[in-house]
Amino acid sequence: METKHLLIAAAMLGLISCGSNEKKESSLQYVKVGTAQRAEAQYNLSYPGRTKPSEDINVSFRVSGPILKMYVNEGDHVRKGQIIAQMDPRDYETQLSATTAEYEQIKSDAERIEALYKEGNTTASNYDKARYGLEQITAKLNNSKHQLADTKLYAPIDGYIESRMHDAGETVGAGMPIVSIFGSGATEVEINITASDYTKKDKFGSFYCTFDLFPDRKFPLELVRINQDANANQLYNVRLRMKDGNETGITPGMTTMVYINMKGSESEPIIIPTTAVFNDNDQTFVYIYKDKSGTVEKRAVTLKHLRTDGYCEISNGLKENETIVTAGVHEIENGQKVKALPSISKTNVGGLL
């Protein structure tokens, strides 16, 4: 009986302890946190864009003639080296046969003259003519072989058939596009920026884009190039490459919104929200949030300037990318354990909390 009472008492103490822990957890002060950044890094540039294939190629025959057969349709996936179309080869087969016969005759004559020259029975001029004639017919024979081989059209890259311009039976000229292929590599994004933003290109930091199809995701981008010449609308073309777009079904032709995070320089002041600073005994302080411990540290800073956009400039006491408490500073004290609010959630519309 005594053992039973001890077990009941232990269980009650455990429940009391759990309740105490739950109460302690629920009593944590919630605060909003943010990152101290340089002035330029406080804002983004945003531009509408469109996804593009990394490679977009028009494929054409190098010879002229009627198309005998088309092996692909729009939307087909092709591998590099796969046959796309076949031109009627009969004219080029005839040409090769005639050139081969001519080559055999000139080669035989050249070998005979070379033998006579070695024996001293012909002139050096005749020998040179025979040698040059053989070189010319050899080049002509190789060209005929190449032309016959060029009656077959192969895919130059892995990708998809975007459009098919001609059908079997049509006669096409050399260089006329037969199909267009876009590569199956990493998808790229194209935007056009204004001249004023082009002058800030050295301060471009990171890039990402969003899609209406994936409202909760940000897709990181890497810069491919920025054109140095403005177009007719005085805009500068920027090309960016998606790092993981191919895995999520993003294809060329989709509209997107591209964001450019600006990077600050060492000469620019640290900018934080004015709600992050508070006064104590005529001195300005902020709270540094320690992510590992979940506690805050009170730190003195030097306030340089109060701006009209809800931010203030700090000249001393803060480093770039340090995490600070941006709301709730009057409800906490140095060393207190707090809980950071998520930046934005579906229930925190507009990030007002």
Side-chain angles (χ1 to χ4, degrees):
M1 179 66 72
E2 184 177 353
T3 301
K4 182 177 181 181
H5 288 163
L6 288 173
L7 290 172
I8 293 173
M12 292 180 65
L13 286 172
L15 290 172
I16 292 171
S17 176
C18 291
S20 176
N21 289 337
E22 290 176 2
K23 183 178 180 181
K24 184 177 180 180
E25 177 69 22
S26 62
S27 65
L28 287 179
Q29 178 67 43
Y30 282 87
V31 295
K32 187 176 180 181
V33 298
T35 303
Q37 295 180 330
R38 298 285 175 185
E40 283 287 357
Q42 284 290 325
Y43 69 92
N44 293 338
L45 302 176
S46 60
Y47 283 94
R50 184 175 294 273
T51 56
K52 299 280 187 177
S54 56
E55 295 178 285
D56 195 353
I57 302 173
N58 288 331
V59 186
S60 58
F61 284 106
R62 299 181 65 179
V63 292
S64 303
I67 298 175
L68 185 66
K69 187 174 183 179
M70 293 291 299
Y71 292 93
V72 294
N73 293 306
E74 293 180 356
D76 287 352
H77 182 264
V78 293
R79 294 288 186 184
K80 182 178 180 179
Q82 179 179 334
I83 189 168
I84 294 174
Q86 167 76 60
M87 184 177 286
D88 189 338
R90 290 176 296 177
D91 290 345
Y92 296 98
E93 289 172 343
T94 302
Q95 176 181 287
L96 178 58
S97 296
T99 306
T100 301
E102 186 180 1
Y103 168 80
E104 293 297 337
Q105 179 183 351
I106 293 176
K107 180 184 177 186
S108 177
D109 291 343
E111 290 173 348
R112 180 174 55 82
I113 292 173
E114 182 181 2
L116 291 173
Y117 178 72
K118 288 180 179 180
E119 295 173 357
N121 295 324
T122 189
T123 63
S125 177
N126 288 336
Y127 171 73
D128 289 338
K129 288 179 181 178
R131 183 164 57 87
Y132 294 144
L134 182 59
E135 290 177 355
Q136 289 178 346
I137 193 60
T138 300
K140 184 177 178 181
L141 177 64
N142 289 334
N143 183 60
S144 296
K145 290 178 179 178
H146 291 155
Q147 286 187 322
L148 179 59
D150 288 338
T151 59
K152 291 182 178 180
L153 189 62
Y154 299 95
I157 58 172
D158 292 344
Y160 294 88
I161 302 299
E162 184 176 12
S163 58
R164 195 175 100 166
M165 292 81 159
H166 296 281
D167 294 317
E170 296 183 38
T171 298
V172 296
M176 290 178 61
I178 305 302
V179 297
S180 63
I181 303 176
F182 66 82
S184 54
T187 303
E188 295 186 355
V189 176
E190 186 179 66
I191 60 174
N192 292 292
I193 63 174
T194 62
S196 61
D197 288 337
Y198 173 79
T199 61
K200 303 173 185 175
K201 64 181 184 299
D202 292 337
K203 294 183 179 180
F204 289 174
S206 59
F207 307 82
Y208 69 90
C209 66
T210 60
F211 295 87
D212 291 339
L213 187 62
F214 305 99
D216 298 325
R217 290 197 59 181
K218 294 180 180 179
F219 295 89
L221 303 168
E222 57 184 1
L223 181 65
V224 177
R225 68 172 185 273
I226 302 177
N227 281 7
Q228 304 300 307
D229 297 328
N231 61 22
N233 296 319
Q234 293 301 298
L235 298 175
Y236 292 82
N237 184 265
V238 179
R239 197 81 172 216
L240 305 133
R241 182 180 296 114
M242 298 191 67
K243 296 181 179 179
D244 55 2
N246 287 14
E247 300 176 2
T248 54
I250 293 174
T251 58
M254 297 177 68
T255 57
T256 181
M257 183 62 69
V258 174
Y259 297 89
I260 306 173
N261 294 320
M262 305 297 288
K263 58 184 179 183
S265 67
E266 293 296 329
S267 62
E268 292 162 346
I270 296 290
I271 303 297
I272 61 174
T274 54
T275 54
V277 299
F278 62 96
N279 288 327
D280 189 4
N281 293 327
D282 295 327
Q283 193 170 2
T284 304
F285 292 89
V286 298
Y287 280 116
I288 306 297
Y289 177 72
K290 305 291 186 180
D291 185 55
K292 290 185 178 180
S293 63
T295 58
V296 294
E297 174 190 309
K298 185 178 178 182
R299 184 187 295 176
V301 295
T302 303
L303 181 63
K304 179 181 179 181
H305 177 64
L306 281 173
R307 305 193 337 181
T308 59
D309 59 356
Y311 286 85
C312 59
E313 299 179 3
I314 303 297
S315 60
N316 189 36
L318 269 181
K319 296 180 181 179
E320 189 175 5
N321 296 322
E322 282 194 294
T323 303
I324 58 172
V325 176
T326 59
V329 295
H330 299 292
E331 307 299 327
I332 56 179
E333 59 186 24
N334 188 35
Q336 182 176 339
K337 192 175 181 65
V338 298
K339 190 167 185 178
L341 283 169
S343 55
I344 295 179
S345 67
K346 292 182 178 179
T347 57
N348 184 18
V349 178
L352 298 177
L353 294 178

